[in-house]
Amino acid sequence: MKKTLAAALTTALVLGAASTTFAAANPFSDVPADHWAYDAVSQLAKDGVIEGYGDTTFQGNKNITRYEMAQMVAKAMAKTNVSTNDAALIDKLKAEFSDELNNLGVRVSNLEKNADKVKFTGMLRYDYNAPKFSGHDGDWDKDHRTHNAKFRLYPDAEINDHWHVQARLQAVWTGTDDTTTNETLNYVYAEGKYGDLTMDFGKMPLFSDADEGMLLDTYFSGAKVSFGKQLKAIVMGGRHDLSQDGHWTDWVDYGNGGDTADYASLQLSYPFGKLNTAAGYHYLKSKNFKNYAGYKANKDEADIWTVGGRYTFDKNASLAGYYGQNEDAESFDKSGTVEFDYKGSQAANQGTWGAYAAYRHVGQNTSFATTYDDMVENMKGYAVGASYVPFKNIIAYASYTAGKTLDTDKDANIVFGRVKFVW
């Protein structure tokens, strides 16, 4: 494609620059003040749309290269502080040159993606939790209601076409005493993607994908490798801080000088039509296990396996079921869930909603850090819940659980609510 200085003028006209009163100084020695394109070239240079050749010349009679054309259009599209009229004109520019950009092999999406190497997304959520455990050790009939807010930022820094650095920053506000605590960097890790292969290194989320979080929704430090098309595999290995997990927060470091466990896992999934099957194995090793009455004598390991899957009836309805067991525990060594889901709320789509009904059995020696908000460790019971998007990017959740504790077989009920803002 050959374009001369007329291309710059065309760009200026589409941008609306030609209708502006120009007052910019001329940065180019070879575009005199009486040149017919002087105003347009000067204004485009002032706006950063064109840059010249670094020697104070514009070289207007020279053919614009493929790179120069893409650069000119990309810079115009990358502008953010523009008026409504200018934004409309930039859209026209994008449409006018779309075929040429595509023919040159320059994709608009790639240009937009590379305009900013660091991106931030975020979330603010408010949680209300009201559990009631009847007759538990004589004092659990008390009011255990809590409410708190969590603010999170997710920076994502692009290193190159394959590698990103991702992190999560969090602050927690506790409503009962009006304090803000835990301003922390929860995790930071590097992620590389090559086709069906994904590699992660650092401190990162630890989620048991093979059971949809029935066992683990926490963090670990180490490495994670995911690969496969139909048969998908996730391999993880490293160290995990037990003090982050449910009941272990009060038990770890019980005279053993540490609360970190060695961790390794293998998770597999494979689809059979509408049924997606999954299986997982998780291994943890810590001296803390020896002091816990629920473990076999002198056992300092946890060998946990899971099986299950999800059957999708149609675009609205699905049924999931998972089972897990810790082979090294003597009590509370099993977890299981059956859940029916209907529709689902989508943050970007106002008015969308979803509902679910489930039965869960959560043994504390198998589900170390379950993802469920409607259930705690060492509890079983029925749960129902729903979500709704009243406004774009604002989601409301509510659930109710009626069940029993596994150790005392006493009634246990939980009322839970959440409002989440995402961007």
Side-chain angles (χ1 to χ4, degrees):
M1 178 186 68
K2 294 185 177 181
K3 297 284 184 179
T4 61
L5 186 58
L9 182 59
T10 301
T11 304
L13 291 171
V14 177
L15 281 171
S19 63
T20 306
T21 300
F22 299 104
N26 179 17
F28 303 121
S29 59
D30 59 348
V31 183
D34 59 353
H35 193 283
W36 63 272
Y38 173 83
D39 287 343
V41 170
S42 299
Q43 187 64 33
L44 286 170
K46 177 178 179 292
D47 291 342
V49 178
I50 56 176
E51 296 178 343
Y53 288 86
D55 60 353
T56 75
T57 63
F58 181 72
Q59 301 182 18
N61 293 323
K62 185 175 180 178
N63 291 336
I64 294 178
T65 66
R66 296 152 69 100
Y67 170 77
E68 291 163 347
M69 186 63 190
Q71 185 183 50
M72 183 184 298
V73 176
K75 286 186 176 181
M77 292 169 57
K79 291 181 177 298
T80 56
N81 56 337
V82 296
S83 66
T84 302
N85 290 336
D86 285 345
L89 291 169
I90 291 174
D91 286 339
K92 291 180 181 179
L93 173 66
K94 178 179 175 181
E96 179 169 338
F97 288 103
S98 61
D99 290 341
E100 294 163 297
L101 289 170
N102 288 333
N103 290 335
L104 290 171
V106 181
R107 300 297 176 184
V108 169
S109 59
N110 288 336
L111 293 173
E112 290 175 332
K113 185 184 87 170
N114 293 324
D116 189 356
K117 295 293 183 179
V118 180
K119 298 180 180 179
F120 283 84
T121 55
M123 178 207 75
L124 172 64
R125 81 182 193 200
Y126 170 81
D127 290 350
Y128 172 81
N129 195 20
K132 184 178 180 64
F133 299 86
S134 300
H136 192 289
D137 296 333
D139 65 353
W140 279 77
D141 286 319
K142 297 179 180 178
D143 185 358
H144 288 274
R145 289 177 296 177
T146 62
H147 58 107
N148 63 71
K150 291 184 178 180
F151 173 76
R152 292 172 175 171
L153 281 179
Y154 302 90
D156 184 330
E158 179 184 344
I159 306 303
N160 54 44
D161 289 341
H162 296 285
W163 287 89
H164 285 241
V165 171
Q166 301 186 41
R168 187 173 88 180
L169 303 165
Q170 175 175 279
V172 180
W173 168 77
T174 303
T176 52
D177 52 10
D178 194 28
T179 59
T180 303
T181 58
N182 297 330
E183 297 90 350
T184 57
L185 176 65
N186 295 135
Y187 57 73
V188 58
Y189 63 97
E191 180 173 88
K193 293 186 176 182
Y194 296 86
D196 297 318
L197 173 66
T198 301
M199 298 175 289
D200 300 304
F201 302 95
K203 184 170 184 181
M204 68 195 81
L206 172 54
F207 188 82
S208 53
D209 294 82
D211 53 68
E212 299 186 10
M214 180 179 71
L215 267 59
L216 297 164
D217 186 2
T218 178
Y219 319 104
F220 85 109
S221 299
K224 174 183 176 181
V225 179
S226 308
F227 56 92
K229 291 184 178 180
Q230 289 291 98
L231 176 61
K232 296 181 180 180
I234 301 174
V235 182
M236 291 184 278
R239 300 276 284 170
H240 169 59
D241 184 1
L242 292 168
S243 67
Q244 302 171 129
D245 302 342
H247 71 290
W248 288 103
T249 58
D250 298 323
W251 183 261
V252 296
D253 200 13
Y254 193 70
N256 288 311
D259 53 19
T260 305
D262 295 328
Y263 174 74
S265 68
L266 170 63
Q267 301 180 80
L268 302 170
S269 64
Y270 189 83
F272 291 94
K274 293 185 176 182
L275 175 63
N276 188 69
T277 60
Y281 170 74
H282 302 265
Y283 171 84
L284 295 99
K285 183 180 177 66
S286 171
K287 292 181 180 179
N288 285 291
F289 298 152
K290 286 186 176 181
N291 284 328
Y292 187 57
Y295 274 76
K296 297 177 181 178
N298 296 319
K299 273 289 186 180
D300 62 355
E301 299 174 336
D303 290 277
I304 307 171
W305 56 268
T306 63
V307 293
R310 178 177 287 274
Y311 185 86
T312 302
F313 298 98
D314 53 37
K315 66 178 182 180
N316 291 325
S318 65
L319 180 66
Y322 297 97
Y323 176 83
Q325 183 167 331
N326 184 347
E327 297 293 345
D328 299 309
E330 292 183 321
S331 60
F332 316 125
D333 57 340
K334 298 177 179 63
S335 288
T337 183
V338 177
E339 178 174 324
F340 177 77
D341 295 290
Y342 185 72
K343 290 190 174 182
S345 57
Q346 302 166 10
N349 296 323
Q350 181 179 355
T352 58
W353 62 278
Y356 76 92
Y359 176 81
R360 313 194 198 281
H361 178 113
V362 184
Q364 66 182 22
N365 291 332
T366 300
S367 295
F368 277 57
T370 184
T371 194
Y372 303 137
D373 294 309
D374 55 26
M375 194 77 64
V376 297
E377 292 86 357
N378 262 18
M379 182 177 170
K380 62 181 179 180
Y382 296 91
V384 293
S387 60
Y388 178 68
V389 181
F391 306 100
K392 182 179 179 180
N393 293 333
I394 302 176
I395 315 172
Y397 304 84
S399 65
Y400 175 76
T401 306
K404 294 180 179 294
T405 56
L406 297 183
D407 52 352
T408 65
D409 199 38
K410 300 291 186 180
D411 290 340
N413 303 318
I414 298 176
V415 175
F416 177 82
R418 170 178 291 166
V419 178
K420 184 164 69 172
F421 306 82
V422 298
W423 59 90

